[in-house]
């Protein structure tokens, strides 16, 4: 049978066809009126997509570049920072803050779980300068309660609150300004449905003020320099111009999802991810599989424990070889323990039903156990049908 290549990974995610053709055709020089017009539009759209009145920036780098900027621009060596970590991306904050000489305090939770709010409260001492967290921890499939954490942080002194929402933006509701998130970060290869290479984010007035006094070294990721250039609709060095064109096209698509309104489109994109995730959870549970993040599963992706005795590497391999579907294994030491199916961005009903149908075969063949074909698919269909019953065709 034909096997179409399909990404079910939590980044990179499937590419929007319209963005792909725009990108292939784009050849403008970056110091021209043509690019400036595009850049201005992209910045305005990033604001609506994030949902903020704060300044926004788009950097030519992967998401980690903006994460690094959120450390190098906002800290000085020796600063006490608090990292909330419950997975490989939380650990990235720890490593980054250490690389810049910060005194790193952590609140951690076991992989798959989320934080104790009381423990965070007890660690928010007045000397903490910055708090770093993920909105959704893509290595475990857990969603963290950014609103509750923000409430605590905002209650203490002048702490800078930084959220890695690289898989959170476009999959979970985040009220950046109302909650007081100082820096929030997204990446192009996640909910924006375009290739890797751009990181975007917003920066609050409090964070800009902090940058006036911090001393960590920075050059390429000097956010103040980028802000000055952005005010002239330029970037400090050569941007990934074709990716900017792709990004504009992705925002147009999201706007269409919201009947011409980008903010509504973002909400529709989040609801889409939530529904695909709910369908997937129901499907995997119908097969007797266990979710990796049980208490607070993210809509960005669903992490699933392999059936007992089966290494998840075997499952990912089977998906790839039999169906051309790329399902993500666990990262680093989580490899073998779980597999991850993404719902970020350009996924629809048929993708979700298809991957669950394939999962039935994969489980049947890797375990040798008899699987009732259709059980995962049917559980997902029930979720879909209930969620959409209000608009069901033929309803009285
Ligand atoms: C993908 C991802 C990153 C890393 O982004 P890169 O673009 O690979 O640098 C960071 N945090 C989270 C939560 C992610 O999902």
């Amino acid at each position: 049978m034909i096997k179409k290549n399909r990404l079910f990974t939590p980044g990179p995610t499937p590419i929007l066809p319209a963005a792909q053709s725009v990108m292939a055709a784009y050849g403008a020089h970056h110091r021209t009126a043509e690019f400036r017009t595009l850049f201005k539009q992209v910045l305005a759209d990033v604001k609506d997509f994030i949902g903020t009145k704060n300044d926004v920036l788009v950097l030519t780098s992967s998401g980690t570049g903006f994460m690094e900027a959120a450390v190098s621009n906002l800290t000085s060596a020796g600063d006490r920072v608090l990292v909330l970590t419950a997975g490989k991306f939380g650990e990235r904050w720890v490593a980054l803050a250490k690389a810049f000489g910060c005194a790193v305090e952590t609140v951690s939770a076991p992989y798959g779980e989320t934080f104790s709010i009381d423990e965070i409260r007890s660690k928010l001492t007045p000397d903490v300068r910055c708090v770093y967290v993920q909105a959704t921890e893509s290595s475990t499939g857990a969603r963290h309660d950014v609103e509750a954490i923000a409430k605590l942080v905002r209650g203490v002194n002048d702490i800078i609150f930084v959220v890695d929402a690289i898989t959170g933006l476009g999959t979970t509701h985040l009220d950046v300004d109302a909650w007081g998130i100082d820096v929030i970060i997204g990446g192009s290869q996640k909910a924006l449905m375009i290739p890797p290479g751009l990181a975007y984010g917003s920066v609050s007035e409090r964070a800009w003020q902090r940058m006036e006094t911090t001393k960590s070294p920075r050059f390429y990721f000097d956010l103040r320099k980028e802000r000055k250039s952005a005010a002239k609709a330029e970037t400090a060095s050569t941007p990934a111009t074709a990716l900017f064109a792709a990004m504009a096209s992705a925002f147009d698509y999201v706007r269409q999802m919201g009947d011409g309104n980008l903010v509504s489109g973002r909400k529709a994109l989040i609801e889409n991810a939530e529904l695909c995730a709910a369908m997937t959870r129901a499907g995997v549970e119908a097969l007797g599989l266990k979710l990796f993040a049980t208490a607070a599963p993210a809509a960005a992706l669903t992490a699933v424990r392999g059936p007992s005795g089966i290494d998840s590497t075997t499952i990912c391999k089977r998906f790839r070889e039999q169906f051309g579907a790329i399902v993500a294994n666990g990262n680093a030491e989580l490899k073998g323990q779980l597999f991850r199916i993404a719902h970020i961005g350009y996924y629809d009903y048929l993708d979700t039903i298809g991957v669950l149908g394939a999962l039935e075969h994969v489980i049947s063949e890797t375990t040798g156990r008899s699987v009732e074909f259709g059980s995962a698919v049917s559980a997902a269909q029930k979720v879909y049908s209930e969620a959409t019953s209000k608009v069901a065709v033929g309803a009285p």
Side-chain angles (χ1 to χ4, degrees):
M1 276 193 90
I2 286 178
K3 282 178 268 184
K4 295 189 188 177
N5 245 309
R6 287 187 171 86
L7 293 181
F8 286 96
T9 45
T13 61
I15 299 175
L16 189 69
Q20 202 151 22
S21 48
V22 162
M23 188 166 52
Y26 196 78
H29 188 278
H30 61 290
R31 306 289 184 212
T32 58
E34 183 183 352
F35 184 74
R36 280 187 211 103
T37 303
L38 169 68
F39 188 57
K40 267 191 214 154
Q41 183 62 48
V42 164
L43 288 181
D45 287 348
V46 167
K47 267 195 189 195
D48 283 346
F49 189 71
I50 291 179
T52 184
K53 295 200 162 53
N54 290 336
D55 290 325
V56 295
L57 293 173
V58 181
L59 307 178
T60 292
S61 80
S62 86
T64 307
F66 212 127
M67 291 173 74
E68 174 165 328
V71 175
S72 65
N73 286 263
L74 294 166
T75 67
S76 306
D79 276 2
R80 181 167 293 277
V81 304
L82 181 63
V83 175
L84 314 182
T85 170
K88 302 317 295 174
F89 292 107
E91 289 161 23
R92 186 165 295 183
W93 278 134
V94 173
L96 264 168
K98 284 189 174 159
F100 285 90
C102 296
V104 182
E105 191 64 54
T106 57
V107 169
S108 55
Y111 292 160
E113 295 178 23
T114 188
F115 314 106
S116 140
I117 291 293
D118 284 337
E119 194 184 346
I120 299 172
R121 186 182 289 115
S122 72
K123 296 253 174 115
L124 278 175
T125 49
D127 57 342
V128 170
R129 304 283 286 156
C130 298
V131 171
Y132 296 96
V133 71
Q134 270 65 41
T136 51
E137 174 51 78
S138 319
S139 67
T140 67
R143 177 177 353 220
H144 299 317
D145 189 347
V146 175
E147 182 175 14
I149 298 163
K151 216 170 252 167
L152 285 184
V153 172
R154 289 279 65 97
V156 187
N157 285 356
D158 204 21
I159 296 173
I160 301 291
F161 184 42
V162 181
V163 179
D164 160 5
I166 295 176
T167 53
L169 283 160
T171 67
T172 193
H173 173 64
L174 298 159
D175 199 340
V176 175
D177 295 351
W179 300 353
I181 299 172
D182 293 303
V183 176
I184 191 162
I185 303 164
S188 56
Q189 80 278 32
K190 312 276 175 140
L192 284 183
M193 311 170 270
I194 64 171
L198 295 178
Y200 61 97
S202 70
V203 180
S204 72
E205 202 40 52
R206 186 181 342 188
W208 289 122
Q209 279 168 22
R210 174 67 59 88
M211 284 180 227
E212 298 299 327
T213 60
T214 52
K215 297 191 174 60
S216 289
R218 66 202 83 142
F219 184 83
Y220 182 74
F221 291 119
D222 186 336
L223 296 183
R224 288 196 297 164
K225 205 165 62 185
E226 286 301 337
R227 182 196 205 188
K228 262 189 210 137
S229 300
K232 295 177 286 179
E234 290 199 353
T235 51
S237 50
T238 313
T241 47
L243 286 174
F244 276 81
M247 199 181 227
S249 154
F251 285 134
D252 283 341
Y253 183 78
V254 179
R255 210 183 332 269
Q256 281 165 31
M257 285 179 76
D259 295 323
N261 181 299
L262 185 51
V263 174
S264 313
R266 182 228 311 157
K267 287 179 185 152
L269 188 65
I270 292 170
E271 279 163 24
N272 180 73
E274 293 279 13
L275 182 51
C276 291
M279 288 169 69
T280 305
R281 289 194 296 270
V284 299
E285 286 182 326
L287 289 174
L289 300 174
K290 295 207 161 44
L291 299 176
F292 192 81
T294 46
L301 70 152
T302 300
V304 186
R305 290 182 192 275
S308 66
I310 308 287
D311 189 306
S312 63
T313 311
T314 314
I315 292 174
C316 298
K317 188 162 177 261
R318 193 91 202 179
F319 261 115
R320 189 176 63 243
E321 289 176 353
Q322 196 166 352
F323 299 106
I326 312 297
V327 165
N329 204 335
N331 312 50
E333 67 262 39
L334 289 171
K335 188 170 177 203
Q337 294 183 42
L338 57 100
F339 60 95
R340 296 172 294 154
I341 298 171
H343 323 294
I344 309 166
Y346 199 51
Y347 292 103
D348 66 1
Y349 172 88
L350 288 176
D351 294 321
T352 308
I353 288 295
V355 77
L356 288 170
L359 178 64
E360 294 175 357
H361 294 287
V362 168
I363 295 302
S364 157
E365 281 152 37
T366 53
T367 61
R369 197 178 89 193
S370 82
V371 162
E372 199 197 329
F373 289 123
S375 56
V377 166
S378 135
Q381 286 175 316
K382 284 192 189 107
V383 169
Y384 175 84
S385 165
E386 273 162 32
T388 55
S389 60
K390 276 176 251 140
V391 293
V393 178

